[in-house]
């Protein structure tokens, strides 16, 4: 795997990043939306077998390739598993030309100052070493901002950059994800505070070091243009944040230089009960619409 080729695919590729990283807490909901309820498994291992089968079906679909899907974010168990006997990250790059990323956070702390920091990650160095060995290109780590609270937002950004530095030191590309909850009344104010804190953090990065950013779709179109244009940012990607796919695509298309990194909005409409032909048709429609919105700006 060539890191330079992967960097070019993310920087220049005409597409979006698929978020296939639902972990323990969100897996039952993801499976239910896929038409598989909790009666289908008896333990956690069985549940993860089912979600891996769903992800493998998506990845193996003809609709899922590097011409429109430039990257994919994986859950650790997905990285550890195989598709057709090939390690998942290797399959993504070698068979699909899709750049593999890994979700590394272990969930969220309780809310303080309107924000939720990431839980401690004492085994992060070992996980990053495993990711490098598996051929992973980068990581994703999520915090949540639920109020325009300057102290809370600064704490989120400080933690994101600290983890990002650890990731960069391991030779991986960090996606910093300070998600702003889309339903809060002071979302625009929170985004203003977040952008200022992010720009300060980006300006302080060592020369030549770059990060990616994963942000909620902004209230004001092109509000994040200064982040898109910053030399320390490889790419800005957007999460759907609870918007339907159609709604998320419409907002995304109005924001220059930002591509999608959708999870539920990508898998919307897919079902375990569909034939392969039906499944591929629904997935192709989703991929095409998200791709179109991602390159529109």
């Amino acid at each position: 795997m060539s890191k330079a080729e992967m960097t070019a695919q993310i920087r220049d590729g005409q597409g979006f990043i698929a978020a296939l990283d639902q972990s323990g807490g969100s897996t039952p909901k993801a499976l239910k939306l896929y038409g598989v309820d909790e009666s289908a498994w008896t333990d956690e291992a069985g549940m993860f077998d089912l979600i891996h089968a769903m992800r493998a079906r998506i990845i193996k679909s003809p609709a899922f390739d590097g011409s429109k899907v430039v990257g994919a974010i994986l859950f650790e168990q997905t990285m550890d598993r195989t598709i057709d006997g090939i390690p998942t990250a290797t399959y993504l790059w070698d068979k699909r030309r899709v750049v593999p990323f890994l979700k590394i956070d272990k969930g969220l702390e309780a809310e303080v100052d309107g924000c939720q920091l990431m839980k401690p990650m004492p085994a992060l160095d070992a996980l990053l070493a495993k990711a490098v060995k598996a051929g992973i290109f980068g990581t994703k780590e999520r915090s949540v901002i639920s109020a325009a609270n300057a102290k809370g937002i600064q704490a989120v950004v400080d933690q994101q950059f600290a983890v990002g530095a650890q990731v960069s030191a391991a030779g991986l590309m960090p996606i910093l994800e300070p998600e702003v909850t889309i339903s809060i009344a002071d979302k625009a104010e929170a985004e203003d505070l977040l952008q200022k804190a992010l720009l300060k953090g980006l300006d302080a990065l060592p020369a030549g070091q770059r990060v990616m950013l994963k942000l909620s779709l902004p209230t004001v179109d092109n509000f994040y243009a200064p982040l898109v244009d910053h030399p320390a940012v490889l790419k800005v990607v957007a999460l759907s944040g609870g918007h339907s796919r159609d709604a998320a695509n419409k907002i995304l298309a109005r924001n220059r230089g930002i591509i999608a990194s959708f999870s539920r909005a990508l898998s919307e409409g897919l079902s375990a009960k569909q034939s392969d032909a039906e499944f591929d048709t629904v997935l192709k429609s989703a991929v095409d619409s998200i791709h179109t919105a991602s390159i529109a700006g």
Side-chain angles (χ1 to χ4, degrees):
M1 296 188 186
S2 164
K3 187 173 180 181
E5 285 181 294
M6 290 187 184
T7 301
Q9 172 73 330
I10 296 299
R11 184 187 64 233
D12 305 326
Q14 295 294 299
F16 66 94
I17 294 176
L20 305 176
D21 59 332
Q22 296 96 344
S23 53
S26 56
T27 300
K29 183 179 179 182
L31 282 170
K32 188 172 183 180
L33 290 170
Y34 184 53
V36 179
D37 65 34
E38 295 186 25
S39 65
W41 66 87
T42 56
D43 56 19
E44 191 175 74
M47 178 184 75
F48 284 123
D49 286 344
L50 289 166
I51 197 73
H52 184 69
M54 171 189 164
R55 290 168 177 157
R57 194 180 188 195
I58 291 171
I59 291 167
K60 290 174 67 175
S61 171
F64 194 94
D65 72 79
S67 66
K68 293 182 178 177
V69 184
V70 296
I73 304 169
L74 307 176
F75 173 48
E76 184 180 353
Q77 283 205 25
T78 311
M79 177 184 74
D80 292 342
R81 294 181 183 231
T82 63
I83 298 175
D84 292 348
I86 301 169
T88 304
T90 303
Y91 189 99
L92 277 167
W93 183 245
D94 289 356
K95 301 293 186 183
R96 289 287 177 258
R97 217 62 179 174
V98 173
V99 177
F101 292 82
L102 177 68
K103 166 190 154 66
I104 58 170
D105 67 82
K106 301 302 179 186
L108 300 168
E109 297 274 30
E111 188 174 302
V112 176
D113 296 322
C115 298
Q116 288 175 275
L117 296 174
M118 294 177 282
K119 289 181 177 177
M121 293 175 265
L124 181 55
D125 283 335
L127 177 59
L128 296 175
K130 184 168 77 164
V132 169
K133 191 174 180 180
I136 294 290
F137 172 75
T139 66
K140 189 212 78 164
E141 45 272 5
R142 172 177 173 262
S143 317
V144 172
I145 295 166
S146 296
N149 182 304
K151 183 180 177 183
I153 290 171
Q154 190 62 56
V156 162
V157 171
D158 288 347
Q159 185 189 41
Q160 284 284 344
F161 275 101
V163 172
Q166 197 172 347
V167 170
S168 295
L172 296 164
M173 172 60 62
I175 301 178
L176 313 185
E177 184 184 10
E179 174 183 347
V180 177
T181 303
I182 65 170
S183 58
I184 59 174
D186 53 0
K187 179 170 175 278
E189 292 86 348
E191 289 165 344
D192 184 59
L193 291 167
L194 174 61
Q195 174 165 281
K196 288 173 180 172
L198 287 172
L199 286 169
K200 186 177 177 182
L202 291 168
D203 289 342
L205 285 175
Q209 189 170 312
R210 288 188 293 177
V211 300
M212 294 172 63
L213 300 172
K214 182 167 179 175
L215 305 172
S216 303
L217 291 160
T219 305
V220 177
D221 293 346
N222 290 313
F223 180 74
Y224 288 133
L227 300 174
V228 171
D229 295 334
H230 197 286
V233 176
L234 177 64
K235 204 75 173 181
V236 177
V237 305
L239 56 107
S240 53
H243 287 297
S244 69
R245 181 164 63 234
D246 285 347
N249 282 341
K250 285 175 183 174
I251 302 169
L252 178 63
R254 301 196 302 263
N255 282 273
R256 175 186 63 81
I258 299 179
I259 65 172
S261 178
F262 294 169
S263 174
R264 186 185 58 77
L266 170 64
S267 58
E268 193 178 296
L270 297 177
S271 172
K273 299 173 179 64
Q274 291 164 338
S275 68
D276 286 345
E278 291 169 332
F279 181 92
D280 291 341
T281 297
V282 173
L283 182 60
K284 183 179 187 303
S285 177
V287 167
D288 287 351
S289 70
I290 298 169
H291 170 257
T292 297
S294 293
I295 65 173

